[in-house]
Amino acid sequence: MSRYRADIGTALLVIGVVTLAGLPIGAFWNALAPHPVVLVSGGRLFLENPEGKEFIAADGWFAALGAAAGALSAGAVYARYRDHGVGAALGLVIGGVLGALVAWRFGHALGPADVAVQARTVAENQPFTAPADVRAYGVLLLWPIAAATVFLALTAGAEPSRHDSLPRLRSGDLDRPSARSARR
């Protein structure tokens, strides 16, 4: 039972720390991602660049930062909690989802004021910037996917610890059935 408590404690700690890591990731995303330029014409809002390259670039920056955050958080958690079982892995995945949501909302909030508020204050056909936003919601999953993948790769490549290793068998230690007894 104490093992389960330790796993739950590890998971909760990792969830909390990884979720809080969403704040600086959101700030970096807001600083790096291009913000779309909007125009007000005839009481309606129009994008200055209708192809929406800013939206694609903002999603790309979010994806890159989320994948990097997932890989870094997995490396840090592995270095500290490699022997803490499934709690560390679950903490990374749940924390990665929450961290991505925090990064998205915090980065968006750091951007320019709401488009509707700005539209009321600017002159006709005067451009203004809108806050960066995630349009391809799948990029929100890159953080937990990268974290789980890196953590799994590190765990799979690790040597087993002494208490988990099995004794080595020598060639004569196993009695193998003969070919004749296997057919019966």
Side-chain angles (χ1 to χ4, degrees):
M1 193 59 157
S2 67
R3 178 71 182 162
Y4 295 120
R5 281 191 213 131
D7 279 349
I8 291 170
T10 300
L12 292 175
L13 178 66
V14 170
I15 288 169
V17 171
V18 173
T19 300
L20 287 176
L23 295 172
I25 297 300
F28 284 134
W29 174 61
N30 179 58
L32 295 171
H35 298 269
V37 178
V38 180
L39 299 168
V40 178
S41 178
R44 298 177 65 194
L45 297 173
F46 296 95
L47 288 173
E48 185 178 65
N49 182 2
E51 290 88 30
K53 292 177 185 175
E54 292 88 2
F55 296 118
I56 296 168
D59 288 343
W61 276 109
F62 194 89
L65 290 170
L72 290 173
S73 60
V77 168
Y78 177 78
R80 176 67 176 94
Y81 297 108
R82 80 181 74 180
D83 293 331
H84 286 253
V86 72
L90 285 175
L92 276 170
V93 172
I94 296 169
V97 169
L98 295 175
L101 290 172
V102 166
W104 172 35
R105 299 315 305 157
F106 184 67
H108 181 78
L110 288 177
D114 186 23
V115 173
V117 172
Q118 288 188 73
R120 288 187 215 115
T121 61
V122 298
E124 187 81 9
N125 293 325
Q126 180 184 357
F128 64 93
T129 57
D133 202 3
V134 169
R135 299 291 175 134
Y137 296 119
V139 300
L140 295 172
L141 296 176
L142 286 177
W143 186 333
I145 289 171
T149 303
V150 169
F151 190 77
L152 177 65
L154 290 171
T155 303
E159 290 288 324
S161 62
R162 272 188 239 130
H163 65 278
D164 288 340
S165 64
L166 296 173
R168 296 195 183 259
L169 299 176
R170 290 173 287 182
S171 62
D173 289 344
L174 295 175
D175 290 331
R176 295 194 176 138
S178 68
R180 206 178 267 176
S181 63
R183 286 187 229 154
R184 290 182 193 168

